[in-house]
Structure formats: C-alpha cells, structure tokens
Amino acid sequence: MMTKPHAARFSTTLAFLAFQFLVFSDAFTHQSIACLRVATPSTPTQLASSATDESGSFIENLTQRYELFQKSSSEGYDFKQNVAAAIAGEYDTAAVQSKIKESVESAPCVMFTWEASPACKKAIKYMDIAGASYKIVRLDDPWSEGNPIRVELGKMVGRSSVPCIFMGGKYVGGFDGGVGEDSPGILEMAFKGDFREKLKEVGAL
C-alpha cells in the first residue's frame, strides 16, 4: 500500500511528466510545421549550424516554460492553470488585463471561447436557443494572443476552462461549471430558471 509521502511524490512526478509531454508536444508541432515550409537548398555546414541553433533555442524555450510552470505553481494555482501559464510564455500582464476588461465591457454578454471546444459549441447553442445577443472573443485566433488571455482569465475568475462567460460584466461560469453559487455555469442557470432572467437583466435578451 502506498504511504501518503510516497503518494505525494508520485503525484508530483506524474504532474511533471505530464507537463513535459504537453510542452514537448507543443514545441514538436511548431517545429514540424517549420520543417514543412519550402526552403532554399542548404549546404551541410548551413544545415549543421541551423540544427545547433534550433536545438539551443528549443532547450531555452523549454527551460523558460518550465520556470513559468513552477512560478505559477508556487503562487498556489492548480495544474491546469500552471500548464496554461507555461504554454502562454512571457507577455505584458497589464496589457492583457486591459484587453480583457475592454472585451468584458464591450457587450452585455461576452464569451471567451475556442472554436473546436465541445463545451463552447454547447454554450453558443444555448445562447442561440434563448435568442440572446452575445459577443464571442476567440482565444484560438490567434493562439499567441489567446493563450495569455486564458491565463489572466484563470487568475481573475479562478478557472481556466472555456467557455468563460460574462453577463453584465460579471463572470457567471462556463457551460456546465463554474466556481461558486454566483457563477455556476449557464447549464445550471437554465435548470434553475435563472438563465433567461439574467440575460434580460443585463440587456442581452
């Protein structure tokens, strides 16, 4: 039977391995795409030099991402938020926070989404069924801008999942979950009969 200290070390190891897998996968994807680009013929010396530069850049990038993961973890955030921080990389925090504030205040109902997310698709479907007026802010177009926004949203509301929905400037949760009674997600709001009422209240219906 595994003791508590062993279980804790085992969980930490699994978390680290999962982090490495995510970051390596992300970096590998970007490097694979780069390799598929049409390039001019190179000499063996040029190829060797390029490979060395890319290797150094890759290791530096990985180290930076791991440091960001560790920093987020030391601040008390959960694993999912820590991974989001690592993927986002370095960014201007004040500028991102300002952009979020501007977006949240730009419409009565605002949803931060990923286009391919099943939960986001369901949230949009519920909004359409209700006849709501809403604004979508995509976090995957482009990813380079959306990833930092996702990190700061996670810090702001306590949840890094999408969709991240605001009504009247206040966070109400995602599709089927949130962080408390005031932000349970729109599915629970619909079951309780609060969904349409809230939309009317903020002027989105």
Side-chain angles (χ1 to χ4, degrees), residues 16-202:
F16 176 66
L17 290 174
F19 164 76
Q20 285 186 312
F21 173 76
L22 287 168
V23 175
F24 270 113
S25 296
D26 181 65
F28 177 76
T29 299
H30 283 83
Q31 287 203 351
S32 296
I33 293 172
C35 288
L36 290 174
R37 293 173 181 166
V38 177
T40 55
S42 302
T43 66
T45 301
Q46 290 174 325
L47 287 173
S49 176
S50 176
T52 301
D53 291 343
E54 288 183 7
S55 177
S57 177
F58 173 74
I59 293 173
E60 183 180 342
N61 181 47
L62 181 61
T63 301
Q64 180 193 61
R65 287 171 183 261
Y66 182 65
E67 288 174 351
L68 290 169
F69 177 91
Q70 291 288 73
K71 181 177 182 293
S72 179
S73 179
S74 69
E75 293 172 353
Y77 294 109
D78 63 22
F79 178 74
K80 194 172 182 179
Q81 176 72 19
N82 299 338
V83 171
I87 292 173
E90 298 284 356
Y91 58 86
D92 186 331
T93 301
V96 173
Q97 291 175 343
S98 177
K99 189 169 185 177
I100 291 173
K101 184 175 184 295
E102 181 181 335
S103 295
V104 168
E105 295 175 351
S106 65
C109 180
V110 178
M111 295 195 292
F112 294 86
T113 69
W114 288 342
E115 187 176 43
S117 163
C120 291
K121 291 178 180 179
K122 290 176 183 177
I124 291 171
K125 181 179 179 179
Y126 267 53
M127 290 289 182
D128 289 341
I129 290 173
S133 173
Y134 56 88
K135 177 178 179 178
I136 289 178
V137 179
R138 285 182 54 183
L139 301 184
D140 56 354
D141 186 24
W143 287 106
S144 58
E145 293 181 13
N147 286 332
I149 291 175
R150 181 190 174 202
V151 176
E152 290 304 313
L153 281 172
K155 293 178 181 179
M156 181 190 303
V157 306
R159 191 169 187 258
S160 59
S161 301
V162 290
C164 185
I165 305 172
F166 290 81
M167 293 186 187
K170 294 183 179 180
Y171 176 64
V172 298
F175 171 66
D176 58 359
V179 296
E181 292 183 2
D182 294 331
S183 54
I186 63 172
L187 181 61
E188 184 172 327
M189 291 173 67
F191 274 118
K192 291 181 176 179
D194 300 333
F195 181 47
R196 290 180 61 84
E197 291 303 315
K198 185 65 177 178
L199 289 170
K200 289 178 182 178
E201 179 186 318
V202 302

